[in-house]
Structure formats: structure tokens, C-alpha cells
Amino acid sequence: MRMAFILFDGMTTLDFFGFFDPVTRLSLYKDRLKEEVAWDLCGIQEEVTDDRGLTIKVKKIRPDLAEYDLIFVPGGYATRKLRYDEDFIGWLQTAKDSAMKVSVCTGSLLFGAAGWLKELRATSNPSAYELLAPYCGEVVPSRIVRDGNVITGGGVAASLDVGLFLVELFSCEDTASAIQKSMDYPYYQPGKTNVDYTVI
């Protein structure tokens, strides 16, 4: 399972790290996985600066995202403008055939701009529901929404729940529980319905 974490200037870093932390801990549970996990930090430049001034180095510059099994896109206020950036969205669209697409917060606006949410149900940060509505079939006010191979998460801290949901999806309830315990995060409920809408 090759994962691409999409980073950009003005993103909200908790959107990224909240998902990154539990999902990359899967590498500690290789015996419970169908396939090994690997990941790259991807972007259109060598460094990105988040919405609070934190700078992160990017490993892969403009890779062909079709090479990845999963792409993850965080949110941040910058997505409101970035969704109109033809260069960035054009690069993002190279992931159109990726097996799974995951976003948190207003990252779903970028999915919408890429044309991936047509007729699907999706969610975002509650402050952006009106912005998301023109891109998708229905906005669902939930922390996690899965519609086919597209998973969208709610605002910022929902990134932890989305990450643990993916852990459970790729492994099992026991792995999600173990990672949840190691993170001291008590709110996710492995084995229970954490997703308001699912079409597989």
C-alpha cells in the first residue's frame, strides 16, 4: 500500500498529522496487514509552510499520483483559493485512478475541484459546508463519510478518527484499538459504526 500525503502552503498541520500518525503506525503491525505500507510526502515545491508558520520539507515533487494506492489531502483556509489553481488541481488529478482518496476538513474542496465528488456524499469542516455543496451530491454533517473509494472527514480533529478508521479498514479492530491506546485517544470506537454513510 503506497500512500501519498499531499502538502501545500497554508494547510492546517493537525489535519495532516492527525491522519498521518495512526496510519503510519501500521508499519509496526506488519503481521496484521495484507500488504506492507509505505508513504511519501508530496507537493509541488520542496518546502511548504502551514497556516501558523511551520515549514515542512517535501520528499516527492510533482510525482505522478497514479503510482499511489491512496492519496490523502488535508485542509486549511488556503484550500478556498487553491481550488481555483489550475496547476495544482491538474497535478492532483493525476490521482484520478488511485484506489482510494481520503481528505480531512476543507481538503474535500480540492477533491471537488478535481471533479471527484460529483453525485457523491461528502463532508468537510462545518464552516465550509456551503462551499462544498456545489461540488457533491449531498453534504453530510458527519465526522467521517465514505462513498465508494472516497472518504472525507470533518474539521481538523476529525483527522484522528479518519486515521483510525483507515487503520481498522486496512487491518482489524484489534490493531485500531492498540494504536488508539498507544496514542491515548479515547474517542474512536473500533468495531462500531464511525461512518454515517457508506457505499462500497
PDB file of all heavy atoms in Angstrom, residues 89-123:
ATOM      1  N   ILE A  89      -4.450  21.764  -9.183  1.00  0.00           N
ATOM      2  CA  ILE A  89      -5.550  20.816  -9.389  1.00  0.00           C
ATOM      3  C   ILE A  89      -5.222  19.861 -10.531  1.00  0.00           C
ATOM      4  O   ILE A  89      -5.537  18.663 -10.468  1.00  0.00           O
ATOM      5  CB  ILE A  89      -6.878  21.557  -9.654  1.00  0.00           C
ATOM      6  CG1 ILE A  89      -7.278  22.386  -8.417  1.00  0.00           C
ATOM      7  CG2 ILE A  89      -7.989  20.574 -10.021  1.00  0.00           C
ATOM      8  CD1 ILE A  89      -7.476  21.585  -7.149  1.00  0.00           C
ATOM      9  N   GLY A  90      -4.542  20.346 -11.562  1.00  0.00           N
ATOM     10  CA  GLY A  90      -4.130  19.475 -12.655  1.00  0.00           C
ATOM     11  C   GLY A  90      -3.202  18.376 -12.174  1.00  0.00           C
ATOM     12  O   GLY A  90      -3.320  17.217 -12.591  1.00  0.00           O
ATOM     13  N   TRP A  91      -2.272  18.753 -11.282  1.00  0.00           N
ATOM     14  CA  TRP A  91      -1.372  17.737 -10.715  1.00  0.00           C
ATOM     15  C   TRP A  91      -2.158  16.763  -9.841  1.00  0.00           C
ATOM     16  O   TRP A  91      -1.987  15.543  -9.945  1.00  0.00           O
ATOM     17  CB  TRP A  91      -0.265  18.413  -9.908  1.00  0.00           C
ATOM     18  CG  TRP A  91       0.536  17.438  -9.091  1.00  0.00           C
ATOM     19  CD1 TRP A  91       1.290  16.399  -9.564  1.00  0.00           C
ATOM     20  CD2 TRP A  91       0.621  17.378  -7.668  1.00  0.00           C
ATOM     21  NE1 TRP A  91       1.856  15.698  -8.512  1.00  0.00           N
ATOM     22  CE2 TRP A  91       1.464  16.289  -7.343  1.00  0.00           C
ATOM     23  CE3 TRP A  91       0.082  18.154  -6.642  1.00  0.00           C
ATOM     24  CZ2 TRP A  91       1.759  15.951  -6.031  1.00  0.00           C
ATOM     25  CZ3 TRP A  91       0.376  17.827  -5.333  1.00  0.00           C
ATOM     26  CH2 TRP A  91       1.209  16.724  -5.028  1.00  0.00           C
ATOM     27  N   LEU A  92      -3.058  17.276  -9.016  1.00  0.00           N
ATOM     28  CA  LEU A  92      -3.865  16.413  -8.146  1.00  0.00           C
ATOM     29  C   LEU A  92      -4.670  15.409  -8.967  1.00  0.00           C
ATOM     30  O   LEU A  92      -4.828  14.249  -8.567  1.00  0.00           O
ATOM     31  CB  LEU A  92      -4.802  17.278  -7.293  1.00  0.00           C
ATOM     32  CG  LEU A  92      -5.536  16.587  -6.144  1.00  0.00           C
ATOM     33  CD1 LEU A  92      -4.550  16.070  -5.108  1.00  0.00           C
ATOM     34  CD2 LEU A  92      -6.532  17.549  -5.498  1.00  0.00           C
ATOM     35  N   GLN A  93      -5.140  15.819 -10.113  1.00  0.00           N
ATOM     36  CA  GLN A  93      -5.960  14.948 -10.955  1.00  0.00           C
ATOM     37  C   GLN A  93      -5.190  13.763 -11.524  1.00  0.00           C
ATOM     38  O   GLN A  93      -5.814  12.828 -12.041  1.00  0.00           O
ATOM     39  CB  GLN A  93      -6.598  15.761 -12.091  1.00  0.00           C
ATOM     40  CG  GLN A  93      -7.726  16.651 -11.611  1.00  0.00           C
ATOM     41  CD  GLN A  93      -8.231  17.589 -12.688  1.00  0.00           C
ATOM     42  OE1 GLN A  93      -7.449  18.050 -13.533  1.00  0.00           O
ATOM     43  NE2 GLN A  93      -9.516  17.876 -12.672  1.00  0.00           N
ATOM     44  N   THR A  94      -3.876  13.757 -11.403  1.00  0.00           N
ATOM     45  CA  THR A  94      -3.127  12.569 -11.833  1.00  0.00           C
ATOM     46  C   THR A  94      -3.445  11.376 -10.942  1.00  0.00           C
ATOM     47  O   THR A  94      -3.094  10.251 -11.260  1.00  0.00           O
ATOM     48  CB  THR A  94      -1.597  12.814 -11.858  1.00  0.00           C
ATOM     49  OG1 THR A  94      -1.106  13.051 -10.536  1.00  0.00           O
ATOM     50  CG2 THR A  94      -1.255  13.991 -12.766  1.00  0.00           C
ATOM     51  N   ALA A  95      -4.146  11.627  -9.819  1.00  0.00           N
ATOM     52  CA  ALA A  95      -4.552  10.550  -8.911  1.00  0.00           C
ATOM     53  C   ALA A  95      -5.944  10.024  -9.227  1.00  0.00           C
ATOM     54  O   ALA A  95      -6.506   9.259  -8.448  1.00  0.00           O
ATOM     55  CB  ALA A  95      -4.520  11.047  -7.468  1.00  0.00           C
ATOM     56  N   LYS A  96      -6.508  10.395 -10.373  1.00  0.00           N
ATOM     57  CA  LYS A  96      -7.903  10.025 -10.654  1.00  0.00           C
ATOM     58  C   LYS A  96      -8.128   8.520 -10.627  1.00  0.00           C
ATOM     59  O   LYS A  96      -9.225   8.053 -10.297  1.00  0.00           O
ATOM     60  CB  LYS A  96      -8.356  10.600 -11.999  1.00  0.00           C
ATOM     61  CG  LYS A  96      -7.632  10.073 -13.212  1.00  0.00           C
ATOM     62  CD  LYS A  96      -8.128  10.763 -14.484  1.00  0.00           C
ATOM     63  CE  LYS A  96      -7.365  10.312 -15.707  1.00  0.00           C
ATOM     64  NZ  LYS A  96      -7.532   8.899 -16.035  1.00  0.00           N
ATOM     65  N   ASP A  97      -7.111   7.729 -10.928  1.00  0.00           N
ATOM     66  CA  ASP A  97      -7.265   6.273 -10.935  1.00  0.00           C
ATOM     67  C   ASP A  97      -6.730   5.605  -9.675  1.00  0.00           C
ATOM     68  O   ASP A  97      -6.663   4.375  -9.612  1.00  0.00           O
ATOM     69  CB  ASP A  97      -6.569   5.676 -12.168  1.00  0.00           C
ATOM     70  CG  ASP A  97      -7.224   6.134 -13.465  1.00  0.00           C
ATOM     71  OD1 ASP A  97      -8.458   6.270 -13.493  1.00  0.00           O
ATOM     72  OD2 ASP A  97      -6.489   6.364 -14.445  1.00  0.00           O
ATOM     73  N   SER A  98      -6.345   6.402  -8.666  1.00  0.00           N
ATOM     74  CA  SER A  98      -5.870   5.827  -7.403  1.00  0.00           C
ATOM     75  C   SER A  98      -6.993   5.046  -6.743  1.00  0.00           C
ATOM     76  O   SER A  98      -8.172   5.396  -6.861  1.00  0.00           O
ATOM     77  CB  SER A  98      -5.388   6.929  -6.458  1.00  0.00           C
ATOM     78  OG  SER A  98      -4.256   7.576  -6.985  1.00  0.00           O
ATOM     79  N   ALA A  99      -6.630   3.986  -6.035  1.00  0.00           N
ATOM     80  CA  ALA A  99      -7.637   3.110  -5.433  1.00  0.00           C
ATOM     81  C   ALA A  99      -8.466   3.819  -4.378  1.00  0.00           C
ATOM     82  O   ALA A  99      -9.659   3.587  -4.243  1.00  0.00           O
ATOM     83  CB  ALA A  99      -6.955   1.883  -4.837  1.00  0.00           C
ATOM     84  N   MET A 100      -7.856   4.702  -3.597  1.00  0.00           N
ATOM     85  CA  MET A 100      -8.582   5.361  -2.521  1.00  0.00           C
ATOM     86  C   MET A 100      -8.145   6.804  -2.389  1.00  0.00           C
ATOM     87  O   MET A 100      -6.967   7.126  -2.492  1.00  0.00           O
ATOM     88  CB  MET A 100      -8.352   4.624  -1.197  1.00  0.00           C
ATOM     89  CG  MET A 100      -9.189   5.133  -0.045  1.00  0.00           C
ATOM     90  SD  MET A 100      -9.178   3.989   1.364  1.00  0.00           S
ATOM     91  CE  MET A 100     -10.212   2.671   0.717  1.00  0.00           C
ATOM     92  N   LYS A 101      -9.131   7.663  -2.139  1.00  0.00           N
ATOM     93  CA  LYS A 101      -8.879   9.087  -1.952  1.00  0.00           C
ATOM     94  C   LYS A 101      -9.465   9.499  -0.615  1.00  0.00           C
ATOM     95  O   LYS A 101     -10.643   9.262  -0.346  1.00  0.00           O
ATOM     96  CB  LYS A 101      -9.503   9.897  -3.090  1.00  0.00           C
ATOM     97  CG  LYS A 101      -8.983   9.515  -4.465  1.00  0.00           C
ATOM     98  CD  LYS A 101      -9.783  10.213  -5.554  1.00  0.00           C
ATOM     99  CE  LYS A 101      -9.294   9.793  -6.937  1.00  0.00           C
ATOM    100  NZ  LYS A 101      -9.602   8.381  -7.233  1.00  0.00           N
ATOM    101  N   VAL A 102      -8.642  10.132   0.227  1.00  0.00           N
ATOM    102  CA  VAL A 102      -9.050  10.499   1.583  1.00  0.00           C
ATOM    103  C   VAL A 102      -8.733  11.970   1.813  1.00  0.00           C
ATOM    104  O   VAL A 102      -7.641  12.438   1.486  1.00  0.00           O
ATOM    105  CB  VAL A 102      -8.319   9.638   2.644  1.00  0.00           C
ATOM    106  CG1 VAL A 102      -8.826   9.963   4.042  1.00  0.00           C
ATOM    107  CG2 VAL A 102      -8.466   8.147   2.343  1.00  0.00           C
ATOM    108  N   SER A 103      -9.686  12.687   2.396  1.00  0.00           N
ATOM    109  CA  SER A 103      -9.442  14.086   2.758  1.00  0.00           C
ATOM    110  C   SER A 103      -9.954  14.344   4.170  1.00  0.00           C
ATOM    111  O   SER A 103     -10.785  13.608   4.700  1.00  0.00           O
ATOM    112  CB  SER A 103     -10.131  15.044   1.783  1.00  0.00           C
ATOM    113  OG  SER A 103     -11.537  15.035   1.974  1.00  0.00           O
ATOM    114  N   VAL A 104      -9.438  15.406   4.756  1.00  0.00           N
ATOM    115  CA  VAL A 104      -9.914  15.878   6.048  1.00  0.00           C
ATOM    116  C   VAL A 104     -10.199  17.366   5.919  1.00  0.00           C
ATOM    117  O   VAL A 104      -9.494  18.082   5.189  1.00  0.00           O
ATOM    118  CB  VAL A 104      -8.884  15.617   7.168  1.00  0.00           C
ATOM    119  CG1 VAL A 104      -9.202  16.428   8.423  1.00  0.00           C
ATOM    120  CG2 VAL A 104      -8.839  14.135   7.508  1.00  0.00           C
ATOM    121  N   CYS A 105     -11.232  17.817   6.600  1.00  0.00           N
ATOM    122  CA  CYS A 105     -11.563  19.231   6.650  1.00  0.00           C
ATOM    123  C   CYS A 105     -11.821  19.752   5.228  1.00  0.00           C
ATOM    124  O   CYS A 105     -12.445  19.082   4.423  1.00  0.00           O
ATOM    125  CB  CYS A 105     -10.442  19.972   7.376  1.00  0.00           C
ATOM    126  SG  CYS A 105     -10.881  21.604   7.990  1.00  0.00           S
ATOM    127  N   THR A 106     -11.314  20.921   4.908  1.00  0.00           N
ATOM    128  CA  THR A 106     -11.589  21.502   3.596  1.00  0.00           C
ATOM    129  C   THR A 106     -10.747  20.901   2.479  1.00  0.00           C
ATOM    130  O   THR A 106     -10.811  21.372   1.342  1.00  0.00           O
ATOM    131  CB  THR A 106     -11.403  23.025   3.627  1.00  0.00           C
ATOM    132  OG1 THR A 106     -10.078  23.332   4.067  1.00  0.00           O
ATOM    133  CG2 THR A 106     -12.420  23.685   4.545  1.00  0.00           C
ATOM    134  N   GLY A 107     -10.016  19.857   2.766  1.00  0.00           N
ATOM    135  CA  GLY A 107      -9.364  19.110   1.694  1.00  0.00           C
ATOM    136  C   GLY A 107     -10.399  18.596   0.702  1.00  0.00           C
ATOM    137  O   GLY A 107     -10.101  18.394  -0.476  1.00  0.00           O
ATOM    138  N   SER A 108     -11.635  18.394   1.191  1.00  0.00           N
ATOM    139  CA  SER A 108     -12.697  17.924   0.300  1.00  0.00           C
ATOM    140  C   SER A 108     -13.028  18.950  -0.783  1.00  0.00           C
ATOM    141  O   SER A 108     -13.510  18.582  -1.860  1.00  0.00           O
ATOM    142  CB  SER A 108     -13.954  17.577   1.101  1.00  0.00           C
ATOM    143  OG  SER A 108     -14.406  18.684   1.865  1.00  0.00           O
ATOM    144  N   LEU A 109     -12.763  20.231  -0.533  1.00  0.00           N
ATOM    145  CA  LEU A 109     -12.962  21.237  -1.583  1.00  0.00           C
ATOM    146  C   LEU A 109     -12.035  20.973  -2.761  1.00  0.00           C
ATOM    147  O   LEU A 109     -12.408  21.181  -3.927  1.00  0.00           O
ATOM    148  CB  LEU A 109     -12.719  22.646  -1.041  1.00  0.00           C
ATOM    149  CG  LEU A 109     -13.641  23.135   0.082  1.00  0.00           C
ATOM    150  CD1 LEU A 109     -13.253  24.555   0.488  1.00  0.00           C
ATOM    151  CD2 LEU A 109     -15.103  23.068  -0.330  1.00  0.00           C
ATOM    152  N   LEU A 110     -10.824  20.516  -2.467  1.00  0.00           N
ATOM    153  CA  LEU A 110      -9.871  20.196  -3.534  1.00  0.00           C
ATOM    154  C   LEU A 110     -10.315  18.949  -4.294  1.00  0.00           C
ATOM    155  O   LEU A 110     -10.154  18.868  -5.514  1.00  0.00           O
ATOM    156  CB  LEU A 110      -8.466  20.032  -2.962  1.00  0.00           C
ATOM    157  CG  LEU A 110      -7.924  21.261  -2.216  1.00  0.00           C
ATOM    158  CD1 LEU A 110      -6.519  20.994  -1.690  1.00  0.00           C
ATOM    159  CD2 LEU A 110      -7.938  22.497  -3.099  1.00  0.00           C
ATOM    160  N   PHE A 111     -10.890  17.983  -3.581  1.00  0.00           N
ATOM    161  CA  PHE A 111     -11.466  16.815  -4.257  1.00  0.00           C
ATOM    162  C   PHE A 111     -12.591  17.262  -5.184  1.00  0.00           C
ATOM    163  O   PHE A 111     -12.728  16.771  -6.303  1.00  0.00           O
ATOM    164  CB  PHE A 111     -12.013  15.818  -3.237  1.00  0.00           C
ATOM    165  CG  PHE A 111     -10.986  14.929  -2.601  1.00  0.00           C
ATOM    166  CD1 PHE A 111      -9.625  15.150  -2.768  1.00  0.00           C
ATOM    167  CD2 PHE A 111     -11.382  13.856  -1.836  1.00  0.00           C
ATOM    168  CE1 PHE A 111      -8.679  14.314  -2.180  1.00  0.00           C
ATOM    169  CE2 PHE A 111     -10.448  13.013  -1.244  1.00  0.00           C
ATOM    170  CZ  PHE A 111      -9.102  13.239  -1.415  1.00  0.00           C
ATOM    171  N   GLY A 112     -13.407  18.191  -4.689  1.00  0.00           N
ATOM    172  CA  GLY A 112     -14.495  18.702  -5.509  1.00  0.00           C
ATOM    173  C   GLY A 112     -13.991  19.408  -6.744  1.00  0.00           C
ATOM    174  O   GLY A 112     -14.496  19.195  -7.861  1.00  0.00           O
ATOM    175  N   ALA A 113     -12.961  20.232  -6.576  1.00  0.00           N
ATOM    176  CA  ALA A 113     -12.388  20.956  -7.711  1.00  0.00           C
ATOM    177  C   ALA A 113     -11.777  20.002  -8.731  1.00  0.00           C
ATOM    178  O   ALA A 113     -11.752  20.289  -9.931  1.00  0.00           O
ATOM    179  CB  ALA A 113     -11.336  21.945  -7.215  1.00  0.00           C
ATOM    180  N   ALA A 114     -11.290  18.851  -8.250  1.00  0.00           N
ATOM    181  CA  ALA A 114     -10.713  17.847  -9.151  1.00  0.00           C
ATOM    182  C   ALA A 114     -11.789  17.035  -9.866  1.00  0.00           C
ATOM    183  O   ALA A 114     -11.482  16.236 -10.752  1.00  0.00           O
ATOM    184  CB  ALA A 114      -9.792  16.909  -8.359  1.00  0.00           C
ATOM    185  N   GLY A 115     -13.049  17.224  -9.461  1.00  0.00           N
ATOM    186  CA  GLY A 115     -14.157  16.531 -10.108  1.00  0.00           C
ATOM    187  C   GLY A 115     -14.478  15.166  -9.545  1.00  0.00           C
ATOM    188  O   GLY A 115     -15.194  14.381 -10.169  1.00  0.00           O
ATOM    189  N   TRP A 116     -14.010  14.885  -8.324  1.00  0.00           N
ATOM    190  CA  TRP A 116     -14.160  13.541  -7.757  1.00  0.00           C
ATOM    191  C   TRP A 116     -15.383  13.352  -6.876  1.00  0.00           C
ATOM    192  O   TRP A 116     -15.630  12.247  -6.403  1.00  0.00           O
ATOM    193  CB  TRP A 116     -12.916  13.183  -6.945  1.00  0.00           C
ATOM    194  CG  TRP A 116     -11.674  13.111  -7.763  1.00  0.00           C
ATOM    195  CD1 TRP A 116     -11.579  12.852  -9.100  1.00  0.00           C
ATOM    196  CD2 TRP A 116     -10.334  13.294  -7.304  1.00  0.00           C
ATOM    197  NE1 TRP A 116     -10.259  12.875  -9.500  1.00  0.00           N
ATOM    198  CE2 TRP A 116      -9.474  13.141  -8.419  1.00  0.00           C
ATOM    199  CE3 TRP A 116      -9.782  13.569  -6.063  1.00  0.00           C
ATOM    200  CZ2 TRP A 116      -8.094  13.256  -8.324  1.00  0.00           C
ATOM    201  CZ3 TRP A 116      -8.406  13.684  -5.964  1.00  0.00           C
ATOM    202  CH2 TRP A 116      -7.574  13.529  -7.078  1.00  0.00           C
ATOM    203  N   LEU A 117     -16.140  14.397  -6.620  1.00  0.00           N
ATOM    204  CA  LEU A 117     -17.267  14.278  -5.691  1.00  0.00           C
ATOM    205  C   LEU A 117     -18.632  14.358  -6.382  1.00  0.00           C
ATOM    206  O   LEU A 117     -19.658  14.362  -5.701  1.00  0.00           O
ATOM    207  CB  LEU A 117     -17.172  15.379  -4.615  1.00  0.00           C
ATOM    208  CG  LEU A 117     -15.925  15.355  -3.742  1.00  0.00           C
ATOM    209  CD1 LEU A 117     -16.002  16.472  -2.702  1.00  0.00           C
ATOM    210  CD2 LEU A 117     -15.752  14.007  -3.045  1.00  0.00           C
ATOM    211  N   LYS A 118     -18.654  14.402  -7.693  1.00  0.00           N
ATOM    212  CA  LYS A 118     -19.926  14.514  -8.398  1.00  0.00           C
ATOM    213  C   LYS A 118     -20.858  13.368  -8.021  1.00  0.00           C
ATOM    214  O   LYS A 118     -20.483  12.206  -8.103  1.00  0.00           O
ATOM    215  CB  LYS A 118     -19.689  14.510  -9.913  1.00  0.00           C
ATOM    216  CG  LYS A 118     -18.941  15.734 -10.412  1.00  0.00           C
ATOM    217  CD  LYS A 118     -18.653  15.633 -11.895  1.00  0.00           C
ATOM    218  CE  LYS A 118     -17.858  16.851 -12.377  1.00  0.00           C
ATOM    219  NZ  LYS A 118     -17.512  16.740 -13.832  1.00  0.00           N
ATOM    220  N   GLU A 119     -22.050  13.723  -7.567  1.00  0.00           N
ATOM    221  CA  GLU A 119     -23.096  12.771  -7.183  1.00  0.00           C
ATOM    222  C   GLU A 119     -22.744  11.944  -5.946  1.00  0.00           C
ATOM    223  O   GLU A 119     -23.472  11.016  -5.591  1.00  0.00           O
ATOM    224  CB  GLU A 119     -23.455  11.851  -8.352  1.00  0.00           C
ATOM    225  CG  GLU A 119     -23.954  12.606  -9.578  1.00  0.00           C
ATOM    226  CD  GLU A 119     -24.349  11.685 -10.719  1.00  0.00           C
ATOM    227  OE1 GLU A 119     -24.289  10.462 -10.545  1.00  0.00           O
ATOM    228  OE2 GLU A 119     -24.703  12.211 -11.775  1.00  0.00           O
ATOM    229  N   LEU A 120     -21.628  12.269  -5.273  1.00  0.00           N
ATOM    230  CA  LEU A 120     -21.268  11.539  -4.058  1.00  0.00           C
ATOM    231  C   LEU A 120     -21.700  12.317  -2.820  1.00  0.00           C
ATOM    232  O   LEU A 120     -21.925  13.520  -2.860  1.00  0.00           O
ATOM    233  CB  LEU A 120     -19.754  11.317  -3.994  1.00  0.00           C
ATOM    234  CG  LEU A 120     -19.093  10.515  -5.114  1.00  0.00           C
ATOM    235  CD1 LEU A 120     -17.623  10.299  -4.776  1.00  0.00           C
ATOM    236  CD2 LEU A 120     -19.793   9.186  -5.332  1.00  0.00           C
ATOM    237  N   ARG A 121     -21.782  11.616  -1.698  1.00  0.00           N
ATOM    238  CA  ARG A 121     -21.972  12.259  -0.411  1.00  0.00           C
ATOM    239  C   ARG A 121     -20.591  12.529   0.176  1.00  0.00           C
ATOM    240  O   ARG A 121     -19.672  11.723   0.032  1.00  0.00           O
ATOM    241  CB  ARG A 121     -22.794  11.379   0.523  1.00  0.00           C
ATOM    242  CG  ARG A 121     -24.222  11.167   0.041  1.00  0.00           C
ATOM    243  CD  ARG A 121     -25.051  10.450   1.062  1.00  0.00           C
ATOM    244  NE  ARG A 121     -26.415  10.247   0.574  1.00  0.00           N
ATOM    245  CZ  ARG A 121     -27.392   9.777   1.319  1.00  0.00           C
ATOM    246  NH1 ARG A 121     -27.178   9.430   2.581  1.00  0.00           N
ATOM    247  NH2 ARG A 121     -28.606   9.622   0.816  1.00  0.00           N
ATOM    248  N   ALA A 122     -20.450  13.667   0.839  1.00  0.00           N
ATOM    249  CA  ALA A 122     -19.143  14.059   1.372  1.00  0.00           C
ATOM    250  C   ALA A 122     -19.331  15.011   2.543  1.00  0.00           C
ATOM    251  O   ALA A 122     -20.423  15.522   2.787  1.00  0.00           O
ATOM    252  CB  ALA A 122     -18.309  14.725   0.278  1.00  0.00           C
ATOM    253  N   THR A 123     -18.236  15.239   3.268  1.00  0.00           N
ATOM    254  CA  THR A 123     -18.273  16.177   4.383  1.00  0.00           C
ATOM    255  C   THR A 123     -17.023  17.052   4.369  1.00  0.00           C
ATOM    256  O   THR A 123     -16.126  16.873   3.544  1.00  0.00           O
ATOM    257  CB  THR A 123     -18.438  15.447   5.732  1.00  0.00           C
ATOM    258  OG1 THR A 123     -18.816  16.399   6.733  1.00  0.00           O
ATOM    259  CG2 THR A 123     -17.152  14.728   6.150  1.00  0.00           C
TER     260      THR A 123
END
